[in-house]
Structures are given as structure tokens and as C-alpha cells.
Amino acid sequence: GSAFKFDGFSCYIQGAPRNGDGELVEMPRKLSVETWVALGAYPWNWASILSIGKFNITGFYLGVDAQGRVGFHMSDGTNVWHECNSSVDPDTHLGLELRK
């Protein structure tokens, strides 16, 4: 269907959200994020699934790291970032399984 498929290396979508009239849309105070991810390989470092904001200043970041851990990182608007990362399997030391 209508999903995006990225190469895992350099693909991204850049821009500000706009309404049907082409006017910029402000970020809502409440937000839900949902994504389906099937890793073909583990990234070298944190790889973004979705990020919105000014790089290293404000916004939020949803990504996966080299062990397959999923992380949600969010700024409080003062250049301080708060992280919530998933755990890894104690036997395999990995998070998400590949190709699932």
C-alpha cells in the first residue's frame, strides 16, 4: 500500500507539516506516534525512525540502536534530553529481532 520504505542509510523526509491551504501547522501539545519496523540489519549507532524538532535542541526522537533497542528521546526545551530505551534480551543481548 501506502507505507514509506527507506534504505536504512540516507533516506529521510524533511519539511514542516502544512495544512491543505499550505499554511504551517504548529505541533500539538499531545501527540501519538505509531510505527511498524522490520530491521534488515542493526545500525551502527542510533538510527532515527521518526524525529521532529531542531537538531540537539528541541523536539523528540524515536529510533533504534546498534543492539536493536528502541528509544524515545525528548527535549524539555532547555537543550536537556530525556531518554526512555527498551531493554535487551538477557540471553542474546539484543532488542528487536531482524526481519520481523
Side-chain angles (χ1 to χ4, degrees):
S2 60
F4 293 108
K5 182 177 181 182
F6 298 102
D7 67 7
F9 298 101
S10 59
C11 290
Y12 64 93
I13 298 172
Q14 181 176 344
R18 298 182 181 272
N19 65 18
D21 297 326
E23 298 168 341
L24 287 176
V25 176
E26 289 189 35
M27 285 291 291
R29 295 190 57 80
K30 294 181 180 182
L31 180 71
S32 296
V33 176
E34 179 179 349
T35 182
W36 291 67
V37 177
L39 296 176
Y42 296 109
W44 288 94
N45 296 302
W46 279 100
S48 177
I49 296 168
L50 174 66
S51 62
I52 295 177
K54 293 184 179 180
F55 182 71
N56 284 337
I57 300 172
T58 62
F60 71 85
Y61 171 91
L62 175 66
V64 63
D65 75 356
Q67 291 179 290
R69 294 184 310 156
V70 176
F72 187 80
H73 306 171
M74 188 166 114
S75 169
D76 63 8
T78 64
N79 293 352
V80 175
W81 285 78
H82 306 276
E83 297 183 8
C84 180
N85 300 320
S86 66
S87 58
V88 295
D89 183 299
D91 296 326
T92 63
H93 303 289
L94 296 172
L96 295 176
E97 294 182 53
L98 295 179
R99 293 174 278 292
K100 291 194 176 191

